[in-house]
Amino acid sequence: MKVFQCQACDQPVSFESTECDSCQRRLGYVCQSHEMSALEPSGSVWHAYADPARKYRFCANADYHACNWLVPEDSPDRYCTSCRHNRVVPDLTLDWNLTRWRQIEAAKHRLFYSLLRLDLPLMTREENPATGLAFDFLVDPAENYSVGAPVLTGHRSGLITLNIAEADDVERERRRMLFGEYYRTLLGHFRHEIGHYFWNVLVRYDQSIWAFRDLFGDERASYGMALQRYYGQGAPPDWQESYVSAYATSHPWEDFAETWAHYLHIVDTVETASAFELHLRPRLRSSTPEPVVIDFDPYQSPDLDRLVSVWLPLTYAVNSLSRSMGQPALYPFKLTPAVIAKLAFVHDRIDAVRSATGHQLDSDVLKAVITGLRQRVAPPNV
């Protein structure tokens, strides 16, 4: 993401900062303007250092040191734009649960930063009880020596479930090795699962479903049988030519979710590179190429080719740096022409919904859009 600074003293601060290390002012994130605001006390609330007329309360989850986002003083919501989508959180009286939940929230807030920068439509469960976006952060029964089915991370009708064991670095690495994955992080989980949610919102009832099937395959194929086949036989030997990951080969839904996650990986990382105005020009014996200059906002770029043209040399550089530190490649994936075509589909769907509204869809507009799409396109038989 971009570089944030304290508005009072210009000290660089992180996205998760709650206090400036230089001037010790309280800090809070204003998602409406995508800025970190220095704050001054104003009675029972806070006002922005740069504009005293703007007054805020902290999200209720700030009491648990799990959120630094601000809520406008006149808002009826206790929770910020990110936290209001939580449906279930673990028992926070247990220190280990609280520690893991804070890590989960840090990753989820970074997800919401991207979703809001992209002006994507977001509805809570209160606004749409059937398909609104919600999160359940659950403890596996085995942790408490209880009887019950294990908690599986996944998505169903807008509800994203996450086993909080994923916040344990050792357990997450064990699962990464068990499933033969190159990459497994909390943020990666969120970016993947939100892809399932936006498939329903942006593709399922849209005319683009036909282009989706051409690129990703027919999602009406049995999902259960597809997963059974994948876990029994694995990915085909030539999967890297057409898919961004082995898991993407399991079913068109998973292919879309994996592609969606990588789109968010690319956009957010390119924004960080742009914030540092990176220039890339490897020293090669055979030629002296023109430098690749990353100096644009990828969240506002209508051109996927521009994103890809800087992403490829950027990943070559960061992978080389990572190996110099004795670490594996930071981005160990290939972007073949087939994968880039799928990324273009994701890019176009996001651009289409932004162009249709000119701003983030509110709940009433989103309901009307989905109703209209359902009338135009029959839902798939799944």
Side-chain angles (χ1 to χ4, degrees), residues 311-331:
W311 180 245
L312 297 178
L314 177 60
T315 54
Y316 177 70
V318 297
N319 285 346
S320 299
L321 289 169
S322 184
R323 292 189 181 101
S324 294
M325 290 294 294
Q327 298 292 329
L330 187 65
Y331 187 79

Side-chain angles (χ1 to χ4, degrees), residues 95-169:
D95 290 344
W96 182 222
N97 285 350
L98 180 59
T99 297
R100 290 183 291 180
W101 178 61
R102 285 172 178 162
Q103 294 177 25
I104 288 167
E105 285 298 335
K108 180 166 72 68
H109 281 66
R110 284 182 173 261
L111 168 73
F112 270 79
Y113 171 87
S114 294
L115 302 182
L116 294 170
R117 288 294 321 276
L118 291 169
D119 295 323
L120 286 165
L122 299 166
M123 278 198 299
T124 64
R125 220 62 173 179
E126 289 72 24
E127 293 167 324
N128 187 332
T131 60
L133 178 62
F135 296 87
D136 283 357
F137 303 130
L138 305 179
V139 178
D140 203 293
E143 282 195 32
N144 300 323
Y145 304 101
S146 302
V147 177
V151 174
L152 299 178
T153 296
H155 167 271
R156 185 178 181 87
S157 301
L159 176 62
I160 293 174
T161 301
L162 182 73
N163 186 333
I164 70 167
E166 292 287 349
D168 180 349
D169 292 341

Side-chain angles (χ1 to χ4, degrees), residues 83-95:
C83 292
R84 71 185 56 156
H85 289 273
N86 290 355
R87 194 179 77 157
V88 176
V89 299
D91 181 358
L92 301 180
T93 63
L94 302 177
D95 290 344

Side-chain angles (χ1 to χ4, degrees), residues 3 80 130 184 358 377:
V3 172
C80 71
R184 190 182 183 98
V377 182

Side-chain angles (χ1 to χ4, degrees), residues 187-367:
L187 185 53
H189 275 312
F190 279 123
R191 287 172 172 168
H192 173 95
E193 299 303 340
I194 206 72
H196 289 298
Y197 171 76
F198 280 110
W199 185 86
N200 280 323
V201 173
L202 303 180
V203 180
R204 183 176 185 180
Y205 300 109
D206 188 73
Q207 292 289 353
S208 62
I209 189 68
W210 310 113
F212 168 85
R213 289 171 183 164
D214 286 340
L215 284 169
F216 296 87
D218 193 336
E219 83 290 349
R220 294 170 295 187
S222 170
Y223 182 69
M225 291 181 63
L227 287 187
Q228 185 178 11
R229 181 172 57 252
Y230 171 76
Y231 285 117
Q233 302 174 10
D238 59 347
W239 65 266
Q240 287 186 320
E241 295 305 314
S242 302
Y243 300 89
V244 75
S245 71
Y247 187 56
T249 67
S250 62
H251 189 275
W253 284 338
E254 299 301 344
D255 192 7
F256 180 84
E258 286 286 88
T259 305
W260 179 281
H262 280 259
Y263 181 83
L264 294 187
H265 293 336
I266 292 169
V267 171
D268 199 44
T269 307
V270 168
E271 186 190 29
T272 306
S274 178
F276 286 90
E277 295 187 356
L278 291 187
H279 290 51
L280 303 168
R281 183 166 59 182
R283 295 180 180 178
L284 304 175
R285 288 194 307 271
S286 58
S287 64
T288 305
E290 289 296 314
V292 175
V293 180
I294 307 177
D295 59 355
F296 64 98
D297 183 353
Y299 284 103
Q300 300 298 323
S301 175
D303 186 1
L304 181 71
D305 289 341
R306 191 178 188 189
L307 275 175
V308 173
S309 69
V310 301
W311 180 245
L312 297 178
L314 177 60
T315 54
Y316 177 70
V318 297
N319 285 346
S320 299
L321 289 169
S322 184
R323 292 189 181 101
S324 294
M325 290 294 294
Q327 298 292 329
L330 187 65
Y331 187 79
F333 303 95
K334 289 175 57 178
L335 295 188
T336 64
V339 171
I340 292 172
K342 294 174 183 179
L343 287 167
F345 178 87
V346 170
H347 180 82
D348 289 346
R349 292 309 306 134
I350 293 172
D351 190 57
V353 74
R354 297 174 77 175
S355 300
T357 62
H359 55 79
Q360 184 176 321
L361 293 173
D362 61 33
S363 60
D364 291 337
V365 173
L366 180 55
K367 289 175 183 176

